[in-house]
Amino acid sequence: MNSTAEWISRSVSRLRAAAPVADKDGAKGPEKLARASLDKSGVTDVVAKVAAPRSTHERLQATLRRGQEALSPRALRRLLADLQAVVAPQVSELEGGRRAQAVAEWYATAKPEERRDMWLLLCEQFAPDATEFKSARQRYEAAAGTAEEGQAEISLRRALVSPRTRLLQRFAVFPDGMRFLVDMRAELLPLLKNDKRLLALDAELEQLFSTWFDVAFLELRRLSWDSPASLIEKLIKYEAVHDIRSWADLKNRLDSDRRCYGFFHPRLPNEPLIFVEVALVDKISPSITPLLDESAAPVDITRATTAIFYSISNTQTGLRGVSFGDSLIKHVVETLTQEFPRLRTFATLSPIPGFRAWLSKNAGAMLDRLDDKRRSELGRAVGFEPPQATHFLAAVDKPLDLDAKSPVRQMLLECAAHYLAREMVDGKPVDSVARFHLGNGARVERLNWAGDPSAKGLKQSYGLMVNYLYDLKRIDKHRSLLAQGKVPASGDIDSLCRH
């Protein structure tokens, strides 16, 4: 009874305080408060006050929900209690996992806004103890160079482990817990840009995943036409480079002269984390068309000398930032070498996804690099002298119509070579695929005209594709060059860049 009376009293008090009372100019309620704020601080402060969401600390102390808040204070307190119960000191890991599973079952039926409230609780209510961390750091700094340094470091490491870490570890205990956490992060990622409060949870999950999904715990497995249908269907679902159009298309990619490998984690046994498609051929492939030709006869793999990695697809959005690709390629190269001792060349046939968008912004700067003779040749080819960026971009819009001797075609190749081998951002190649392969120790080997004449290929890169070469004896050298800000490239690519 007392608690009910107190609640009624507080509610009535709030209602009275919020009742519209006219000021001397006739303004009432919110209008009066807004006018006072405007007089005091200006429009920006009013907008900030209205827009600023309450923290979970404030909401847990409240009685009523406000504005767009999903869970009421009472429901928020109940959810917090359930989360705290997962990591209660006296609870075993197994029991903690069972309680975490109960929370996950609630989460499965929760609305998106309610799930977001749980994320906010994880961020704000399970953060490291700042006072404890500060004290541990001071002890560590004071102990530096003494016999107590080791113990002080242990204390500092323990202070850095947040209750959030232990809570997330308990979620990983129950059978589908890893799947739950990976999917939760995938749902969380798109909201980070607009809600910085969620960054701590994202960083914690990424750090845990980097440990849990370390290559030492992954299994390389070959995927073939004889693999379970449920697993083969995953290839269709997750293929990110060249869409699989039909079962016949998929069967072609798993034929005798092909190999497909994926990394698997024991807690996600039927879900490839990343997979690579490989064609066994007799030379570096210049075009994706024959590789995807379902009617083409299989190559005699006993004569294959070259392995072409023509598609690499990550399957789990929630594992963004966790690197598998470099380890996958190394493991696949080792596996292929054991099976096919004649293989000598390992290369990719890769898209250039950012090229068209980059050129649309930088065509003018590339034209400025031309000497008078080249500028005049290009001008005659596009029908405008001197040629401007708009003229050049219009002329390359239908690249498949350009003949081999066209100055427009030559200029486009030079722009692509410059984009791949010279354009850097923060010391890394600007193109995402280039960044991946060059970071793994490959070099830019060759540009291929009409390598991908599909609508997607034309939209991304005017149909151009590129081969990255993995020279196993020079991988460390190439990485060293990249660390110095120099992109490893073949003589042909460098020649195109110098024109």
Side-chain angles (χ1 to χ4, degrees), residues 17-38:
V21 178
D23 65 8
K24 62 182 179 181
D25 296 322
K28 297 183 179 181
E31 182 185 351
K32 179 180 178 180
L33 292 173
R35 181 179 299 176
S37 298
L38 282 168

Side-chain angles (χ1 to χ4, degrees), residues 225-278:
W225 190 246
D226 296 324
S227 298
S230 60
L231 189 54
I232 293 178
E233 288 174 350
K234 300 287 176 62
L235 301 184
I236 299 175
K237 177 181 178 181
Y238 292 123
E239 167 61 50
V241 183
H242 304 290
D243 293 339
I244 298 175
R245 302 179 299 274
S246 64
W247 285 102
D249 183 7
L250 177 60
K251 189 173 184 179
N252 175 57
R253 301 189 194 202
L254 300 175
D255 211 340
S256 60
D257 60 343
R258 303 299 177 86
R259 291 295 183 269
C260 181
Y261 297 95
F263 263 151
F264 291 79
H265 190 277
R267 297 302 298 274
L268 299 171
N270 299 314
E271 196 84 19
L273 307 177
I274 184 174
F275 61 88
V276 58
E277 298 168 60
V278 188

Side-chain angles (χ1 to χ4, degrees), residues 70-71 79 106 109-119:
L71 294 175
L79 178 57
W106 169 87
T109 62
K111 298 175 182 178
E113 297 81 8
E114 294 172 337
R115 293 180 176 188
R116 184 170 179 158
D117 277 350
M118 186 177 115
W119 304 340

Side-chain angles (χ1 to χ4, degrees), residues 34 46 133 182 204 246 253-254 330 332 420 437 442 467 470:
V46 173
F133 169 69
V182 171
E204 195 106 51
S246 64
R253 301 189 194 202
L254 300 175
K330 288 177 186 174
V332 169
L420 292 171
H437 288 296
N467 301 118
Y470 280 87

Side-chain angles (χ1 to χ4, degrees), residues 148-418:
E148 302 300 319
E149 182 176 359
Q151 187 59 47
E153 181 182 344
I154 292 172
S155 298
L156 179 59
R157 288 181 180 276
R158 287 174 177 168
L160 283 170
V161 177
S162 69
R164 188 188 308 117
T165 299
R166 292 190 288 272
L167 179 57
L168 295 173
Q169 288 170 337
R170 290 285 172 88
F171 273 93
V173 170
F174 66 91
D176 292 326
M178 196 71 77
R179 174 82 275 163
F180 168 78
L181 291 175
V182 171
D183 288 346
M184 184 175 76
R185 184 170 183 244
E187 191 179 2
L188 170 77
L189 286 171
L191 304 180
L192 295 178
K193 184 176 181 179
N194 294 323
D195 195 342
K196 304 302 182 185
R197 297 175 298 171
L198 302 174
L199 288 173
L201 175 58
D202 174 62
E204 195 106 51
L205 283 167
E206 183 178 343
Q207 183 177 9
L208 286 171
F209 289 159
S210 295
T211 300
W212 292 340
F213 290 90
D214 184 84
V215 66
F217 305 121
L218 303 181
E219 175 192 1
L220 182 70
R221 199 187 305 172
R222 181 183 168 188
L223 305 174
S224 71
W225 190 246
D226 296 324
S227 298
S230 60
L231 189 54
I232 293 178
E233 288 174 350
K234 300 287 176 62
L235 301 184
I236 299 175
K237 177 181 178 181
Y238 292 123
E239 167 61 50
V241 183
H242 304 290
D243 293 339
I244 298 175
R245 302 179 299 274
S246 64
W247 285 102
D249 183 7
L250 177 60
K251 189 173 184 179
N252 175 57
R253 301 189 194 202
L254 300 175
D255 211 340
S256 60
D257 60 343
R258 303 299 177 86
R259 291 295 183 269
C260 181
Y261 297 95
F263 263 151
F264 291 79
H265 190 277
R267 297 302 298 274
L268 299 171
N270 299 314
E271 196 84 19
L273 307 177
I274 184 174
F275 61 88
V276 58
E277 298 168 60
V278 188
L280 303 175
V281 292
D282 59 0
K283 60 183 178 181
I284 295 180
S285 302
S287 172
I288 194 63
T289 303
L291 298 185
L292 300 182
D293 183 0
E294 299 166 24
S295 63
V299 173
D300 182 358
I301 57 176
T302 63
R303 298 179 177 275
T305 60
T306 303
I308 296 294
F309 304 95
Y310 64 92
S311 179
I312 301 177
S313 300
N314 285 290
T315 70
Q316 306 299 312
T317 303
L319 295 179
R320 191 178 76 184
V322 180
S323 177
F324 304 116
D326 56 343
S327 298
L328 176 67
I329 290 175
K330 288 177 186 174
H331 280 63
V332 169
V333 167
E334 291 172 1
T335 301
L336 289 173
T337 303
Q338 291 173 6
E339 186 177 359
F340 303 102
R342 288 172 58 93
L343 290 179
R344 293 290 182 269
T345 304
F346 299 90
T348 78
L349 181 59
S350 300
I352 316 173
F355 177 53
R356 181 185 275 263
W358 174 86
L359 187 60
S360 68
K361 299 177 182 178
N362 294 275
M366 294 302 297
L367 293 177
D368 290 341
R369 295 160 52 90
L370 297 175
D371 58 30
D372 291 342
K373 179 181 178 181
R374 291 285 313 283
R375 188 186 301 276
S376 180
E377 289 176 351
L378 185 63
R380 288 194 295 271
V382 301
F384 294 92
E385 292 191 57
Q388 302 299 314
T390 52
H391 306 143
F392 173 60
L393 292 173
V396 297
D397 198 47
K398 294 183 178 180
L400 302 183
D401 295 340
L402 299 172
D403 63 53
K405 295 182 179 180
S406 167
V408 178
R409 174 168 166 167
Q410 179 64 23
M411 183 63 187
L412 186 62
L413 286 169
E414 292 173 13
C415 290
H418 178 90

